[in-house]
Structure formats: C-alpha cells, structure tokens
Amino acid sequence: MAPQLDSYFKQVDHLSGSFIERLRKAVAIPSVSADEDRRQDVVRMSEYLVSELKTLGAHVESRPLGPQPGKEHLQLPPVIVARYGSSPSKRTILVYGHYDVQPALKDDGWATEPFELTIDDKDRMYGRGSTDDKGPVLGWLNSIQAHQEAGVEFPVNLLMCFEGMEESGSEGLDEFIEKEAKKGGFFDAADAVCISDNYWLGTEKPCLTYGLRGCNYYSVEIKGPGQDLHSGVFGGAAQEPMTDLTRILAGLVDTHGTILILGIAALVAPLTDEEQSLYGHISYTMDNLYESLGSHTSVHATKEQTLMARWRYPSLSVHGIEGAFSAPGAKTVIPAKVTGKFSIRTVPDMEIEHVNRLVFAHVEKAFEKLGSKNSLRVSCQHAGKWWVASPKHWNFTAAAKAAERVFGVPPDLTREGGSIPVTITFEQATGKNVLLLPMGSSTDAAHSVNEKLDRRNYIEGTKLLGAYLHYVAEEPMTNGA
Ligand SMILES: C[C@H](N)C(=O)N[C@@H](Cc1c[nH]cn1)C(=O)O
Ligand SMILES: [Zn+2]
Ligand SMILES: [Zn+2]
C-alpha cells in the first residue's frame, strides 16, 4: 500500500537540514498575537508563510480580517489560504494551523533565547512556537517540498488555512470559515479536515485525537483609589483592590481542582460505563504525567482519574493579575486597579452562555459579600466551544495507517485537554469529518518556558503528514464521504 512512500520518506530525511532551517526562520519571528506591540511581527510571520508557499508553487491569498473587535486601532492579522493542486480525480483535504504564538520572555525562566531556535545534544529544538504551532504548520510545507524533490506525485489536493490569532481566541475566524465553506468558497471542495495542533500523550506513541475541551476566559477588574498608594501612608485607611481580588480568586477553585462555582458540576454530561472502560486501555502512566510536569505534584493518584480530569471534566485555572506588583524586591505599594485572569476549560454539555451566567453571578455575589467600597467589573474575554467527534471515519483510518507505517505502532485514540476554538466551526461549516493529528510530544512544554519540538517528532511528523495524505487517497468512499 502507498508504494511511493519510501521515496518520499527518504527525501524527507535528505531535506531534514533545510526543514530545520525553515523552522529556525519561523521561530525567529516573535509573532505574539496577545501583544499589541508585536502585531507587525505577526503580520511578518504571515508574509514568511506566503513567500514559502509561493516558492513551492501553491496558489496563495492573504485575506484581511479587518479591525480587532474592542481594539479598533489594531488590524487583525490576515488569514493565509492556499491551494496546492486542483485535480477533479483526487480527494481534497483542508488543513488548518496557526502562525501566532504565546508570549515569551527570557526572564520568564527560559534557559535559551525564546525566539532563537536552539538545538541541544539530544536533538531537542527549543524555541517559542516550535511545537505550537509553527513546526506542524511547516510540516505541511515540508511535505509538499519532499514530494516535489522526490518526484512523487502529490496524492491529494491540499487546501490550507493558517491563522494568526489562535492564541487570542481566533478572533474573526468563525465568520471567515463559514463564508469560505459555502458553495464557491475557498473551502467548498474539502472532503475532510485535518488539524495538527496538539500533542501526543507521552513521548513514544503517536495519537489521533477526536475531542477537545472548550475555553471560557475571564477578567475580574477591581478598582478603588485614583492612583497607586504608599502602603505606610494609606494602608489601613484605603480599601485595597488587591485584597478584594485575591479573596475572590481564592473562592473559585480548591487545591484538589474542584470548581467552587455553584451549578458548574451539574452541567457536565454523566460518565457512561462504555466511556469509563476506554481509559484503562490508553498507553499512559503517572510517570508520563510526572515527566511532563517536571514534578510529582499531581492532583490525582491514578492514570484513569488523571485522563478524565484532563479530557472529560472541566477545570478552572487562575492565570495572573494585571496591575499587581510582580517584580523582584519589596515595593510597598497598594495597586489602585488590578485585573485577575482565569479560565474554565469546558466539556460536554456545558454551554458558553450558561457557564458565563454562573461565573458572573458567583463573582458578583462573592464581591458583594466582601462589603467593599471598591468597584467590580467581570467579563468574558473570549470563549470557544468543546468538540467531540466520531473517530470511525476514513479520515481517521487513513491517519491510523500512516502513524503505524511511520512509527511502527498503532496510534492511541485520545481526547485533548486544550482548546482549538475553530475545530467545531470547520466541522459544522463544511459538514465534513475533522481529525486532529498531533506532531509534538507530551514533554514539549507548549505555552510554558523552554517550549521545544524534538527533531524526531518534526522530521517523522513531516513523514506522518505526507503518509496520511497518501492513505487518504487510497481509502474507499464510505462513512459519509
Ligand atoms: C491546543 C492548542 N495548541 C492551544 O494551545 N490552544 C490554546 C487556545 C486558546 C487560547 N485561549 C483559549 N484557547 C489553548 O488551549 O490554550
Ligand atoms: Zn497554544
Ligand atoms: Zn496551538
């Protein structure tokens, strides 16, 4: 099956040095979507992709999305759409990825410069965006190049959609996808969708992923004094926003991960016996978790509880406080205005608006109980829905064959604790099956300090993406295709 794959694999190995250079150039562009001052870099990253895709002979368009809602002085970064091949006799696969990254500063605790790809003696390639999501996005480009240089016919028509706001709620993308999925739109011809933007459960075994949690992201702003104050002069005389905020944040979740907001637990779909029986078969150990955590500070004692906590139950994380004193030293300041940030990862059957109502009511009641003269504003910054699909589709069968061919083991079927807000939009707008096909491993530290992608995952992952397209081309037209 898929007889030309060996030539393709050989060419990927042969080109591996230039693929790493491609990633090095991408990591060097600090395309942080959350930072207004970096918006030009996000645009520069889109231009880099356009130029690479044009060199590969793809048809490419950079589509503007207009001003950013709520920050009208800022233009949203463009969506890059591209097409490689348009043969009526081939299947058409739509792939999505994002070229923006999470913020990163060397002072956060990085061992190397975050925007310089640094490869250590174990072939770990450190750099912001290496695994999330520049490596996987470039994997598709690498795959095109290796086919060309190996003289192997590209097995499908490839449609690409690369966005620059995923780490900031995929602003503007839902409407774009809905429009382009309609008759005559750029994505109209898609037979299935593939997204490479999540991670293996461990470090050795590949995964195919059929579920994601959603994410509702909140801000709680508390303000009182007209400006920051001297705590010696005003401490005891002024009501302090930081005191109010920390008390509110402390009442959201307990040490064991239980969400303390009334009504949240009741929204979660009950666990069935059938679902419960799935977890024991997954190749995962508590040691895998400890390795990813870099510690033994887990909430749960067993792998089943841990996987369920990550995939099928909600979690609440407190992320930070804007306006609070956070530098080294001992500044005796009373901050005048502070904004706490927290998010809830949502699961079936939690609806975005219902969760919002419960959160707002909880925070407002908690603030009222404090009897403070300060003022409160609570809002949802962005929200994306959870997604669970059927893995019994030719799209998944093809990916499973590809994973086994490249890595020599059948992949695990997993869900993912993170969120990719547009996944459900692609599914609903195109009416086609969506597969998540991760490249990176559980130790990659996406969003954290020292994010990395192992050379093996990048190069074998490029083989995986290409092999998947070959097996897609061979799959019979069943299961709604
Ligand atoms: C899984 C994916 N690579 C990812 O990191 N997604 C982000 C998206 C996000 C940001 N805010 C809300 N969702 C994530 O899961 O945090
Ligand atoms: Zn991310
Ligand atoms: Zn991502």
Side-chain angles (χ1 to χ4, degrees):
M1 295 295 261
Q4 289 173 299
L5 276 178
D6 286 335
S7 314
Y8 166 69
F9 290 164
K10 235 188 200 163
Q11 195 63 37
V12 171
D13 285 329
H14 181 69
L15 291 170
S16 58
S18 65
F19 294 163
I20 290 168
E21 284 316 300
R22 183 174 271 147
L23 181 60
R24 190 187 300 284
K25 286 184 188 149
V27 166
I29 304 173
S31 50
V32 179
S33 54
D35 184 347
E36 291 190 18
D37 298 335
R38 291 280 192 208
R39 189 53 55 92
Q40 270 322 305
D41 292 312
V42 185
V43 172
R44 203 150 57 83
M45 182 63 210
S46 77
E47 290 163 356
Y48 176 63
L49 281 178
V50 169
S51 134
E52 291 292 285
L53 283 160
K54 279 193 176 155
T55 306
L56 292 169
H59 165 86
V60 195
E61 295 175 28
S62 178
R63 300 280 195 88
L65 284 180
Q68 181 167 333
K71 292 188 177 173
E72 274 68 18
H73 59 288
L74 271 185
Q75 287 295 312
L76 288 166
V79 183
I80 306 304
V81 289
R83 184 187 307 113
Y84 186 69
S86 53
S87 163
S89 62
K90 291 180 182 173
R91 273 200 168 123
T92 299
I93 298 298
L94 167 59
V95 301
Y96 158 88
H98 62 92
Y99 61 82
D100 63 320
V101 297
Q102 286 278 320
L105 296 172
K106 177 93 175 25
D107 285 351
D108 294 340
W110 283 72
T112 58
E113 285 298 333
F115 296 105
E116 272 173 31
L117 193 76
T118 308
I119 308 177
D120 75 3
D121 54 0
K122 290 190 172 131
D123 274 346
R124 294 178 292 209
M125 306 190 294
Y126 291 92
R128 176 57 91 220
S130 53
T131 193
D132 183 15
D133 186 32
K134 290 180 175 178
V137 163
L138 298 182
W140 295 112
L141 277 61
N142 297 343
S143 164
I144 295 174
Q145 187 183 349
H147 276 88
Q148 289 175 347
E149 297 196 21
V152 174
E153 186 181 346
F154 207 71
V156 299
N157 305 315
L158 195 66
L159 296 176
M160 290 161 266
C161 173
F162 300 135
E163 71 151 319
M165 279 299 278
E166 197 269 354
E167 300 292 10
S168 300
S170 290
E171 293 272 17
L173 199 63
D174 281 346
E175 299 74 14
F176 180 85
I177 294 167
E178 279 153 16
K179 184 165 153 271
E180 295 303 333
K182 289 207 173 98
K183 210 162 175 46
F186 206 90
F187 308 146
D188 177 24
D191 293 309
V193 182
C194 180
I195 298 176
S196 187
D197 183 25
N198 67 302
Y199 319 98
W200 295 359
L201 257 188
T203 53
E204 294 307 315
K205 204 171 178 200
C207 298
L208 313 183
T209 305
Y210 63 95
L212 290 162
R213 292 197 288 184
C215 185
N216 283 20
Y217 199 106
Y218 299 99
S219 291
V220 182
E221 179 194 283
I222 301 200
K223 61 181 181 187
Q227 70 280 315
D228 288 0
L229 302 170
H230 186 308
S231 69
V233 179
F234 298 103
Q239 294 207 314
E240 301 194 15
M242 194 63 177
T243 310
D244 294 348
L245 181 63
T246 51
R247 294 183 70 194
I248 289 173
L249 295 179
L252 295 171
V253 64
D254 74 14
T255 310
H256 311 293
T258 307
I259 299 175
L260 304 174
I261 299 170
L262 199 69
I264 291 284
L267 302 180
V268 178
L271 179 67
T272 62
D273 291 344
E274 191 194 349
E275 188 198 329
Q276 189 154 25
S277 70
L278 297 176
Y279 295 96
H281 300 290
I282 308 277
S283 312
Y284 189 69
T285 64
M286 289 304 284
D287 284 332
N288 289 138
L289 176 70
Y290 301 148
E291 188 185 5
S292 313
L293 295 182
S295 73
H296 283 227
T297 55
S298 60
V299 170
H300 303 285
T302 68
K303 96 170 187 190
E304 286 81 1
Q305 289 169 319
T306 300
L307 291 176
M308 282 193 235
R310 283 169 61 173
W311 295 354
R312 66 104 52 226
Y313 287 116
S315 59
L316 188 153
S317 303
V318 178
H319 303 295
I321 298 178
E322 204 178 308
F325 167 57
S326 64
K331 187 177 176 190
T332 51
V333 68
I334 298 173
K337 181 175 118 180
V338 281
T339 308
K341 314 278 177 77
F342 69 94
S343 71
I344 299 182
R345 297 288 171 169
T346 58
V347 295
D349 296 322
M350 298 167 76
E351 294 300 330
I352 289 173
E353 288 309 325
H354 198 160
V355 174
N356 282 349
R357 282 197 297 277
L358 294 174
V359 169
F360 298 158
H362 173 95
V363 171
E364 278 157 12
K365 196 167 162 201
F367 182 67
E368 212 178 286
K369 273 194 191 155
L370 298 178
S372 171
K373 290 182 183 159
N374 291 323
S375 60
L376 165 87
R377 204 160 60 98
V378 53
S379 61
C380 178
Q381 278 193 29
H382 59 76
K385 200 173 167 8
W386 47 264
W387 166 80
V388 182
S390 165
K392 293 178 186 152
H393 186 277
W394 55 258
N395 201 22
F396 279 76
T397 313
K401 288 180 186 168
E404 187 155 3
R405 174 90 178 245
V406 173
F407 295 100
V409 282
D412 267 330
L413 276 177
T414 61
R415 281 164 67 172
E416 165 71 51
S419 314
I420 306 173
V422 294
T423 308
I424 193 165
T425 316
F426 276 115
E427 183 182 86
Q428 291 174 345
T430 63
K432 305 295 177 183
N433 181 268
V434 183
L435 154 79
L436 303 191
L437 185 56
M439 175 183 269
S441 87
S442 62
T443 54
D444 284 357
H447 290 208
S448 179
V449 293
N450 304 322
E451 175 182 346
K452 57 96 176 152
L453 176 63
D454 293 344
R455 185 185 194 280
R456 169 179 185 248
N457 284 65
Y458 184 48
I459 300 305
E460 301 305 299
T462 292
K463 291 180 190 170
L464 173 69
L465 300 184
Y468 153 71
L469 298 176
H470 279 266
Y471 284 108
V472 154
E474 287 184 354
E475 281 297 311
M477 292 281 197
T478 53
N479 290 326

